[in-house]
Amino acid sequence: SRGDAETRKLFRDILGGALELLGSGVREAILYYATEPLDTPDYLQFAQVFREVCGRMPVMTTAVPMRDPEKMRSILRADRGPERRIHRFSLLSQEVFRQCAGCFLPEETLYVDFLPRYREGRTGLVQAGRGRMAAGLESLMTDQGTIACVSGFIVNIAERTLRLSTPCRADAQRPNGEMVSEPMAFTTAEEALCRMERICGRMRTVPEESKALALQPFLRMGDGDSFTLENPGYTRLSLEGKAAEICRILAERPACAEEICRMVSGEIPETQMTLAGLFRQGILRHEDGFDR
């Protein structure tokens, strides 16, 4: 229909503009977020537009590979050439696994990961999203901390909105394990790209002196003589000297760069360089999160 053609053109224009604005990382984008891609009847059409613009198919994860096996085959066949992607089937039961194994030939799923998402598969579940309320699955829970698997712009073509999202440790304030900006509305590709560019222009690689700094909420203060930041189950980072001194201050309360420089011993330029390094490593953040 005319509306569908307009939507695909909007998608193409935003995708092409984002490729110029943001660079080759756009080629790693996916065409869904916290949704089932095959719920979109025209998924393959949009995936083919993506391939035309970006030179490769987008990665897809589906939990309903047996809903329409022939359609699934069409999607897998459409991904051809030297840059084939690894797609994923989330298998919700042993029966679905058996159906997939019996329906698809081995060569058809050569570039497909089968992910068991049932109790017998002993696959760990994340304490985030609806998993925070799961009952009877406690033995499968892990401490991975988030179900958010992407960082960047999330563009909703249907609602004509975009927002910025990045994973963080799930908690009561961020149950899905993501820090997210307020959605911004757009009506044209030009407006969407202008909003992206404005957001990028306000991103900071060094802390602003007037803004309060804080430790990332998913990092914890460990024990010992040095200051140890712990992301449980994954990372232990021991900091010493000025870095440890700064983190001890911020473990007590947020503070701006100017205030920290007054509290930390030694030369101010050295403290400023240490602050900038901690900020670039993602250990520190502006307390108010994303710039609005």
Side-chain angles (χ1 to χ4, degrees):
S1 69
R2 179 173 177 270
D4 290 339
E6 288 180 353
T7 300
R8 288 196 295 275
K9 183 179 185 306
L10 176 65
F11 173 66
R12 181 188 295 274
D13 291 346
I14 292 176
L15 191 59
L19 195 60
E20 292 183 11
L21 176 66
L22 304 175
S24 61
V26 173
R27 300 173 73 233
E28 303 299 327
I30 56 177
L31 302 191
Y32 59 95
Y33 184 70
T35 58
E36 167 53 56
L38 294 185
D39 283 347
T40 302
D42 298 326
Y43 175 86
L44 181 55
Q45 295 181 42
F46 284 96
Q48 289 171 330
V49 171
F50 185 97
R51 184 178 60 189
E52 292 169 10
V53 175
C54 296
R56 67 198 307 184
M57 289 286 281
V59 171
M60 182 189 70
T61 299
T62 178
V64 291
M66 293 302 298
R67 176 189 289 173
D68 187 339
E70 288 309 310
K71 183 175 183 179
M72 192 69 251
R73 283 193 175 91
S74 298
I75 293 173
L76 295 176
R77 281 197 299 264
D79 191 358
R80 58 188 182 274
E83 292 196 61
R84 291 196 65 174
R85 317 304 305 277
I86 303 296
H87 305 285
R88 302 188 296 181
F89 288 176
S90 288
L91 307 172
L92 305 185
S93 69
Q94 287 183 312
E95 178 58 27
V96 173
F97 167 72
R98 285 190 287 267
Q99 290 175 1
C100 286
C103 178
F104 296 99
L105 296 173
E107 53 268 30
E108 290 179 310
T109 54
L110 183 62
Y111 290 87
V112 177
D113 280 341
F114 279 23
L115 306 178
R117 298 299 185 190
Y118 43 85
R119 187 187 301 273
E120 295 84 356
R122 304 301 299 173
T123 302
L125 300 178
V126 180
Q127 291 180 324
R130 287 183 294 179
R132 289 168 60 85
M133 276 52 105
L137 299 175
E138 289 78 10
S139 64
L140 298 181
M141 290 299 175
T142 69
D143 198 24
Q144 295 176 39
T146 182
I147 53 175
C149 58
V150 296
S151 185
F153 288 106
I154 298 173
V155 182
N156 190 316
I157 297 293
E159 296 180 356
R160 303 294 198 270
T161 62
L162 67 85
R163 67 188 193 273
L164 188 62
S165 174
T166 194
C168 68
R169 189 173 185 81
D171 56 25
Q173 288 71 42
R174 302 177 180 90
N176 290 333
E178 65 170 339
M179 296 176 62
V180 62
S181 67
E182 292 295 328
M184 302 179 70
F186 65 85
T187 56
T188 66
E190 290 74 16
E191 287 181 355
L193 295 168
C194 283
R195 281 156 175 69
M196 288 183 190
E197 188 170 18
R198 189 174 74 180
I199 292 173
C200 290
R202 297 174 65 181
M203 292 180 180
R204 299 291 177 260
T205 57
V206 294
E208 296 185 35
E209 289 190 5
S210 60
K211 284 192 173 184
L213 294 168
L215 290 174
Q216 292 288 2
F218 52 85
L219 296 176
R220 301 176 183 177
M221 180 176 174
D223 300 324
D225 295 334
S226 63
F227 189 92
T228 303
L229 295 175
E230 299 181 357
N231 187 2
Y234 283 85
T235 304
R236 289 178 59 87
L237 178 63
S238 294
L239 302 174
E240 299 178 348
K242 279 188 179 291
E245 195 174 351
I246 290 169
C247 288
R248 284 195 184 94
I249 292 170
L250 295 179
E252 297 294 328
R253 64 176 179 83
C256 67
E258 183 180 358
E259 185 180 2
I260 292 170
C261 286
R262 292 198 303 266
M263 299 172 68
V264 174
S265 59
E267 298 294 328
I268 289 179
E270 185 182 349
T271 300
Q272 291 173 327
M273 290 179 63
T274 304
L275 274 171
L278 293 170
F279 191 83
R280 283 195 297 270
Q281 292 177 66
I283 293 171
L284 306 184
R285 64 182 177 91
H286 287 130
E287 186 188 19
D288 59 0
F290 287 118
D291 290 331
R292 296 293 191 261

